[in-house]
Amino acid sequence: MKLSKFINLYGCEIGDETKIGAFVEIQKNATVGRCCKISSHTFVCEGVTIEDNVFIGHGVMFINDLYPRATTAQGGLQTEADWKVERTLVKKGASIGSGATILASVTIGENAIVGAGAVVTKDVPADTIVVGIRPGWSVKLKWG
């Protein structure tokens, strides 16, 4: 494992031979597989599983809450008991371009490529290239 300076890792699992760039945060109950590259300024929140051989570009943001709120209906600050962590899965060999945002409860399929700046709101099939905002991807290609 190769870790840069200025990273925040806590309660997560990181596989062998994975490289993590500067200013990355990986939260508790997140998993990163073997031989991955997580580029600088990326945020991997609780509930995200990244399988082996995955590339994550610079400044990628994962989201784990479908209905984010700061306070409860009674007006108090929310705690962990007030919301549900949604799971996200990035399958083996996938690549996510810089600046992409991955919303909660999606699966990015094996060897799929998510273009830079994309906003992923639905599952991405295996062996597919997507860019833009789904629904209505600008490009959707399938090979293999």
Side-chain angles (χ1 to χ4, degrees), residues 28-109:
K28 68 179 180 176
N29 302 319
T31 302
V32 178
R34 297 184 75 251
C35 299
C36 294
K37 182 178 180 187
I38 311 295
S39 301
S40 69
H41 300 87
T42 289
F43 176 71
V44 180
C45 54
E46 179 178 6
V48 173
T49 299
I50 297 171
E51 293 183 347
D52 298 341
N53 307 319
V54 170
F55 172 82
I56 307 289
H58 301 279
V60 172
M61 296 292 149
F62 288 88
I63 310 297
N64 64 0
D65 190 349
L66 292 174
Y67 304 100
R69 295 283 185 252
T71 58
T72 65
Q74 295 75 30
L77 284 176
Q78 279 195 353
T79 67
E80 287 188 26
D82 296 312
W83 62 283
K84 178 184 174 218
V85 173
E86 300 293 339
R87 303 287 173 197
T88 297
L89 175 60
V90 181
K91 291 195 169 187
K92 183 178 180 179
S95 293
I96 301 175
S98 295
T101 300
I102 313 302
L103 297 185
S105 298
V106 300
T107 296
I108 297 173

